[in-house]
Amino acid sequence: MSLICVPIAVDAPGDVPTALIRARHAVDAGARLIEWRVDPVAGDEDAPAAVVQLVRESPAPCIVTCRDAGEGGVFNGSDEQRVALLTALHQADVWPRYIDIELATWQRAATVRTAMRGLASDSTQDGIPRTSLILSSHDFSGRPRDLMQRVAAMHDEPQANVIKIVWMGRSLRDNLEAFELLRDRQKPMIAIVMGEYGLMSRVLAPKFGGMLTFAVADTNEETAPGQPTITDLRDFYRTESINTSTEVFGVIGWPVAHSQSPAYHNARFAVDGRNAVYLPLPVADDHLHFKASIGTLMDEPSLHFRGASVTIPHKENALRFVRERGGTVDAAADRAGAVNTLSIGASDNLSAINTDAPAIIDALATRREELRGASVALLGAGGVARAAASALCDAGADVTVFNRTPERAHELASHVDGISVGAADGLATHRFDIYVNATSIGMEGGMMPGNNPLDELCEGDPTRPDSTSIVFETVYAPEQTPFLVDAAQRGATCVTGSEMFRLQAERQYEAWQ
Ligand code: NAP
C-alpha cells in the first residue's frame, strides 16, 4: 500500500507551531507521512532549530526536504546552509524517517553528501538506519529528455534508499511511463506525473507499488500542480483499497474537470464493494490524441482499463476509434453517429454504445404515454442532439431541429430519416408538444449561462411552452437553467439534465458489469 504523504511548507521559524497544528490535522484526516518543506525557511539563521523542532514534534514519521529553486522549491541558498540543517539534526539526535535531496545537489555537493552520511550512520539497536535518503529529480516544464539516465543514476547511487522522479505531464501516456518505472524499480520508488494529466499516477500509485502519493489538506496548500486533497484520495478514489488488480474506468473529455461522472461512478463502485476506480481522463481535442491516449491505455494489460464514458468533444472520435479497432457499435451509437460509452473486455474486445439516446426516451416515457406523433422542437445539432433526434424519430415523434449553425442542422437531418430543419422564425410560428434543449446555452461556465435557447434560436418572439408542454433540459449544471425556470413558471412539465445524467450513467454502469 502507498502511504499518503502531506507536504507542509514552513515559511518562517515563527510558523513552526502553526505547521505542527496543520500536520496534526493532516494526520487526523489520514496522512501517514508528513513532508516538512523547509526550503522557504532554510536561509534563516534560526532554521536549524526550527527543523529540529519540526522533526522532534512531528505527529507522524516525516521527510525533511529543502527543495532547490530549480526543481520547484524556493531554496537558492548555499550548500553550507543545507549542511547546517543536517548537522543540527545529527547533533540533536532527532531523525526524520527520510531526508530528500535532489540528485543534482547530491552529485554536485560533497559537503552535503558527507553531512547526510553522518546522519544516516545512526541506527537503532537492531541495526536499522534511523534516517534514509530519498534521492529525487523533478522537471516542472515537461518530461526530461534524460529521464531514463536520471532514474538509472539514482538507482546506481548506493546511499539512496528511495528514488523519486517527478515531471510535468504532457498527456495521459506519461502516467504509463511512470507505472513502467515503478514496475522495473530495484529500490522503493516514487514516480509521479504533475498537472491535470497526472492525477492517474497519484491515484493509482498503490496499483503499481509506488512508495507514497502526495495529497494536501486543502487545494490552496498545493506544493506541486495537480496534488489532490486527502479527502479526494481516501473517500472519493478510495486509494487505500487500490491494489494490483483494481479495474480502471474514466471519463474522456476536454475539458473534463467539471464532469459529474467520477462522483457518480466512484460512489456506485463503493456501494457495490467493487475493486474499481473511475478517473477524469483529459484528452486534447482531436482524433489523433484520442487514438494515441486511449489506445495506449487499452494496450497496457496491467492497467486493467475496462471502460470509459465519453464526453465533449470526443463522441465522434470514439466511434471512429472503435470502428478502426474492429470493435462493435450498438444501434443507438451507430444511428447517432456518436459514442458515449466504451467497454473493454479482459481480452481487449472493445464495444461502444450510446446511452444518451435511451436515457432521453426513458425520461420522456415517464411523462407521456405515447411519443408517436408528438411534435418536438430539438434545439441544437451537436452530439446529444443527434442521439435525441434518432431516438425520438425511432419512437415515431415528429422532430424539427433548430440550430445556430444551419449547415449543422441540415447535416443532422441528412443523417436521421424523418427529421426536418426549422425555419428561422419556426419557434415563433409554432408551439411544440416537447422542447429539448441540446445546446450548451444555460450551462454554468459556458458562453451563455444566463440565456434561454428559445430566445437565441428564434428570429422574433418565440411561442412559449405552456401547461401542455414537456420541456427537456440536457444541461445539468446548474440544475435549474433559465430555460427550465421559465418553463416551470408557465406550468410546463420539466425534465432536468440531472435526471438525464443519472439515467444515462445507470446504463453505462450496467454495461460495465
Ligand atoms: P456539442 O456537440 O458541442 O453541441 C453543442 C450544441 O450547442 C451545438 O448545437 C451548438 O451550436 C450549440 N451551441 C453552443 N453554444 C451556442 C451558443 N452560444 N448559441 C447557440 N448555440 C450554441 O455538445 P453536446 O455533446 O451535444 O452537448 C450539448 C449539451 O448537452 C451540453 O451542455 C452538455 O453538458 C449536455 N449533456 C448532458 C448530458 C446529460 O446526461 N444530461 C449528457 C451529454 C451532454 P453550433 O452547431 O452552432 O455550434
Side-chain angles (χ1 to χ4, degrees):
M1 195 183 79
S2 311
L3 302 169
I4 294 181
C5 178
V6 171
I8 296 181
V10 187
D11 291 332
D15 290 345
V16 168
T18 322
L20 286 165
I21 291 170
R22 283 173 58 199
R24 266 176 235 123
H25 287 156
V27 170
D28 290 346
R32 294 290 165 263
L33 206 54
I34 298 294
E35 182 187 38
W36 295 117
R37 282 288 303 269
V38 299
D39 37 305
V41 78
D44 194 291
E45 61 177 349
D46 293 330
V51 173
V52 166
Q53 188 186 354
L54 287 169
V55 175
R56 186 173 275 139
E57 297 178 28
S58 183
C62 66
I63 305 173
V64 170
T65 303
C66 177
R67 179 69 64 238
D68 196 81
E71 297 210 24
V74 295
F75 183 70
N76 50 20
S78 63
D79 289 342
E80 287 66 40
Q81 286 168 326
R82 287 180 183 273
V83 169
L85 300 182
L86 296 172
T87 309
L89 289 168
H90 199 180
Q91 286 173 350
D93 280 350
V94 293
W95 297 274
R97 183 70 195 82
Y98 301 98
I99 299 274
D100 178 319
I101 299 176
E102 304 91 20
L103 173 67
T105 305
W106 184 262
Q107 288 177 329
R108 191 202 65 240
T111 51
V112 174
R113 291 200 298 272
T114 306
M116 180 62 205
R117 285 188 185 119
L119 187 63
S121 64
D122 289 322
S123 49
T124 63
Q125 284 176 338
D126 308 328
I128 300 167
R130 294 183 192 270
T131 287
S132 299
L133 172 66
I134 300 178
L135 213 48
S136 65
S137 182
H138 311 75
D139 192 325
F140 277 65
S141 63
R143 178 193 179 280
R145 279 185 178 202
D146 60 346
L147 181 87
M148 291 303 171
Q149 288 92 321
R150 292 188 193 196
V151 172
M154 291 191 283
H155 266 121
D156 289 348
E157 171 50 56
Q159 181 93 36
N161 306 95
V162 177
I163 66 177
K164 176 187 178 198
I165 181 86
V166 179
W167 72 96
M168 183 62 78
R170 306 150 304 164
S171 82
L172 288 175
R173 283 174 290 154
D174 281 301
N175 294 290
L176 296 185
E177 194 166 14
F179 299 150
E180 197 180 324
L181 291 170
L182 287 174
R183 267 203 316 267
D184 294 345
R185 71 188 181 276
Q186 292 147 30
K187 293 179 179 179
M189 187 171 186
I190 303 156
I192 284 175
V193 178
M194 291 183 288
E196 67 166 325
Y197 289 115
L199 180 66
M200 181 183 274
S201 72
R202 297 179 183 280
V203 173
L204 298 186
K207 187 170 168 68
F208 294 93
M211 189 193 92
L212 61 78
T213 187
F214 291 97
V216 287
D218 203 89
T219 42
N220 61 15
E221 293 171 0
E222 263 188 7
T223 55
Q227 285 169 347
T229 64
I230 308 172
T231 312
D232 284 344
L233 280 187
R234 297 192 74 208
D235 301 345
F236 196 81
Y237 296 115
R238 296 182 298 138
T239 301
E240 286 153 315
S241 55
I242 287 176
N243 55 33
T244 50
S245 48
T246 299
E247 297 172 305
V248 176
F249 295 83
V251 52
I252 306 165
W254 184 267
V256 78
H258 67 281
S259 173
Q260 292 188 3
S261 294
Y264 178 87
H265 290 291
N266 280 316
R268 291 289 305 261
F269 289 146
V271 168
D272 291 355
R274 184 164 171 184
N275 185 9
V277 67
Y278 187 103
L279 297 162
L281 302 174
V283 174
D285 176 9
D286 60 59
H287 182 65
L288 197 65
H289 281 99
F290 186 96
K291 191 172 164 171
S293 295
I294 305 310
T296 308
L297 298 189
M298 275 185 66
D299 293 342
E300 177 47 67
S302 64
L303 185 63
H304 305 106
F305 181 46
R306 293 283 172 262
S309 314
V310 184
T311 186
I312 302 172
H314 286 304
K315 290 182 179 180
E316 281 144 35
N317 295 331
L319 179 63
R320 188 171 151 196
F321 175 78
V322 174
R323 291 208 168 116
E324 283 173 5
R325 288 191 65 133
T328 60
V329 177
D330 84 338
D334 191 39
R335 291 265 287 137
V339 159
N340 81 333
T341 312
L342 296 175
S343 305
I344 302 141
S347 50
D348 245 17
N349 44 319
L350 179 61
S351 58
I353 60 174
N354 187 312
T355 66
D356 289 334
I360 290 168
I361 300 299
D362 288 350
L364 285 174
T366 61
R367 269 72 177 198
R368 187 180 160 117
E369 251 175 49
E370 183 55 271
L371 287 172
R372 186 163 299 281
S375 64
V376 179
L378 177 59
L379 313 178
V384 169
R386 274 170 92 125
S390 49
L392 287 162
C393 284
D394 285 351
D398 181 9
V399 180
T400 308
V401 62
F402 298 89
N403 196 47
R404 173 180 61 179
T405 312
E407 297 77 31
R408 235 179 146 193
H410 286 287
E411 194 200 321
L412 195 160
S414 69
H415 193 79
V416 182
D417 281 346
I419 199 168
S420 39
V421 177
D425 63 351
L427 288 165
T429 53
H430 290 78
R431 178 174 286 116
F432 293 82
D433 297 326
I434 301 172
Y435 293 83
V436 179
N437 177 31
T439 74
S440 42
I441 297 171
M443 189 171 79
E444 205 171 78
M447 302 288 279
M448 292 186 161
N451 295 34
N452 183 327
L454 283 176
D455 297 315
E456 299 310 316
L457 297 178
C458 180
E459 204 175 270
D461 196 16
T463 305
R464 304 287 169 180
D466 63 18
S467 60
T468 65
S469 319
I470 298 177
V471 168
F472 191 121
E473 177 64 280
T474 65
V475 172
Y476 59 73
E479 170 118 16
Q480 295 300 325
T481 59
F483 180 54
L484 280 184
V485 170
D486 180 68
Q489 279 166 358
R490 295 171 192 278
T493 302
C494 293
V495 184
T496 65
S498 302
E499 178 176 343
M500 176 185 162
F501 173 82
R502 187 177 44 74
L503 291 167
Q504 63 80 30
E506 264 168 25
R507 284 177 175 264
Q508 294 185 321
Y509 195 78
E510 280 163 23
W512 296 329
Q513 295 309 304

